[in-house]
Amino acid sequence: MPPRISIISRLSATPLCFRPISSSSTCSFSTTSAANAATFAQRRAHKDPYALAQSRQRKQSNLERQAVLKKERESSLGDPVRGVSTPFLESLDNVGGSTLKLDATTTKGSGEGAKTKNVDNVLLNHFLTPTELQGAIQHSYYLTEPLLAENRDLADIHAEEQAKKQHEEAHANAAAALARIVSLENASSKDKTRANIVRCINTFGRHQTDGVLRPRAPTRDAIEGADLPEKTPRAGPDTGSSEVQIAILTTKIRVLANQLESKRGSKDKVNKRNLRLLVHRRQKLLNYLRKKERGSDRWENLIATLGLTEGTWKGEISL
């Protein structure tokens, strides 16, 4: 048991004064003079022309060094945004020359109206195909063709020929107007980008390249005869493979780069950020595809067609 202590002795040991103890915590030195001295030094350096000249010289030397490093990187690795110019990249500006040409002449009695030329490799605006446009033109020719009189004895041949001539001229004008409407030459930048995306899918999609390009080397599991899961059959054109996504990103990057190089693009901070995001996303896809398909025909075809250099996937890309 603990020892018993009387209440009186405990009260005598406790001080009965509850006043706070005064502590002299005053600082023996003043910091005001040091702060003022630092402020005065900063003001003196800010007003000193020699110090200002030194700071400007250091800033200029840093900018020159950054320019030299950027030039060395571009010379060794290439431009991380544009790469090397290729015929396919140059064709993106005019959508592969997809301008619809119509012949305004008509054939009497044929009902064909205006004819399209070179419709095999032509892309049209408003999600139309050349076959659909040609069918619509022929159908409109039949619908608007003037009717002949049932009683040929009372028919006015001269009036019928005049009406048919006017109909053919009006139909040719309408066909030319349709050509201007659906032509990508007069389309907006958004419509041209959409058409270029379709070209990228048809050029790099595996539904087109599997029968032309050799596949990559088999893996160890395939050589040893291991049971691999069956691949899901592709439904429709290939739009999700890495090479197709890289080609689509390259198309969008080229559009943004051309816009930023224009007169109004120097202050467009939103598109500068979008360009940076697209370039870094393409870099990740290139690193993945290089790890999976390096040395294969698929990788070589992608690099050669899009003009991609090592600067597009190596190292840190700063824009």
Side-chain angles (χ1 to χ4, degrees):
M1 295 178 62
R4 295 182 178 180
I5 302 174
S6 60
I7 298 176
I8 300 174
S9 62
R10 282 185 294 173
L11 290 176
S12 62
T14 305
L16 299 178
C17 182
F18 296 99
R19 290 183 302 173
I21 301 174
S22 61
S23 60
S24 59
S25 60
T26 58
C27 185
S28 60
F29 59 91
S30 176
T31 58
T32 307
S33 60
N36 291 337
T39 306
F40 293 153
Q42 291 176 0
R43 291 176 181 175
R44 193 182 306 111
H46 184 69
K47 293 181 180 180
D48 188 6
Y50 181 72
L52 291 176
Q54 279 187 332
S55 64
R56 284 194 294 266
Q57 187 177 3
R58 286 194 299 268
K59 182 178 180 180
Q60 184 65 24
S61 62
N62 289 335
L63 293 177
E64 291 177 357
R65 180 58 180 169
Q66 290 179 8
V68 170
L69 293 177
K70 183 178 180 181
K71 189 177 295 184
E72 289 179 356
R73 174 184 171 83
E74 290 181 356
S75 61
S76 60
L77 300 180
D79 189 3
V81 177
R82 292 185 177 273
V84 181
S85 180
T86 59
F88 182 80
L89 289 179
E90 293 176 356
S91 68
L92 294 177
D93 297 334
N94 57 358
V95 201
S98 294
T99 54
L100 185 63
K101 302 296 183 182
L102 291 181
D103 188 3
T105 59
T106 58
T107 305
K108 294 184 178 181
S110 62
E112 295 179 356
K115 298 180 180 180
T116 56
K117 294 182 178 180
N118 300 328
V119 297
D120 296 334
N121 299 322
V122 170
L123 294 175
L124 303 181
N125 200 0
H126 305 294
F127 301 95
L128 289 175
T129 61
T131 306
E132 294 174 350
L133 179 63
Q134 184 66 22
I137 290 175
Q138 293 179 2
H139 186 61
S140 65
Y141 184 87
Y142 285 118
L143 291 178
T144 58
E145 188 176 9
L147 299 177
L148 300 178
E150 296 181 358
N151 190 356
R152 301 306 302 168
D153 296 335
L154 302 177
D156 189 354
I157 300 177
H158 180 70
E160 290 179 352
E161 291 179 355
Q162 190 70 17
K164 189 173 184 179
K165 184 178 179 181
Q166 292 178 359
H167 167 255
E168 290 178 355
E169 291 179 356
H171 184 72
N173 293 334
L178 283 176
R180 290 191 297 269
I181 291 172
V182 301
S183 176
L184 287 172
E185 186 178 3
N186 304 322
S188 62
S189 177
K190 184 177 180 180
D191 293 330
K192 290 181 180 179
T193 303
R194 177 190 58 80
N196 282 326
I197 289 175
V198 174
R199 292 183 60 221
C200 291
I201 293 173
N202 295 332
T203 304
F204 298 98
R206 297 192 179 183
H207 63 286
Q208 299 284 354
T209 59
D210 281 345
V212 179
L213 302 178
R214 292 181 301 174
R216 64 177 180 178
T219 59
R220 181 183 300 176
D221 296 336
I223 295 175
E224 294 176 355
D227 294 335
L228 299 177
E230 296 183 359
K231 293 184 178 180
T232 305
R234 184 180 294 110
D238 176 24
T239 59
S241 60
S242 299
E243 49 267 34
V244 173
Q245 293 298 317
I246 290 170
I248 292 174
L249 288 175
T250 303
T251 302
K252 296 180 179 179
I253 287 171
R254 187 177 180 87
V255 173
L256 285 179
N258 292 337
Q259 185 175 356
L260 291 175
E261 288 180 357
S262 62
K263 186 176 180 180
R264 297 182 179 180
S266 59
K267 298 182 180 179
D268 194 352
K269 296 183 179 180
V270 176
N271 280 333
K272 285 182 181 179
R273 180 180 179 275
N274 293 336
L275 178 64
R276 192 181 302 113
L277 292 176
L278 293 179
V279 169
H280 289 164
R281 193 182 305 170
R282 184 180 65 176
Q283 182 187 19
K284 292 179 181 179
L285 287 173
L286 281 171
N287 286 327
Y288 170 78
L289 187 64
R290 183 171 175 267
K291 181 174 65 175
K292 294 293 183 180
E293 301 284 346
R294 182 173 55 181
S296 64
D297 291 350
R298 189 172 292 153
W299 169 261
E300 297 295 336
N301 176 59
L302 179 71
I303 296 301
T305 307
L306 295 180
L308 301 176
T309 59
E310 293 183 353
T312 56
W313 72 80
K314 267 190 177 181
E316 180 181 357
I317 300 177
S318 59
L319 302 177

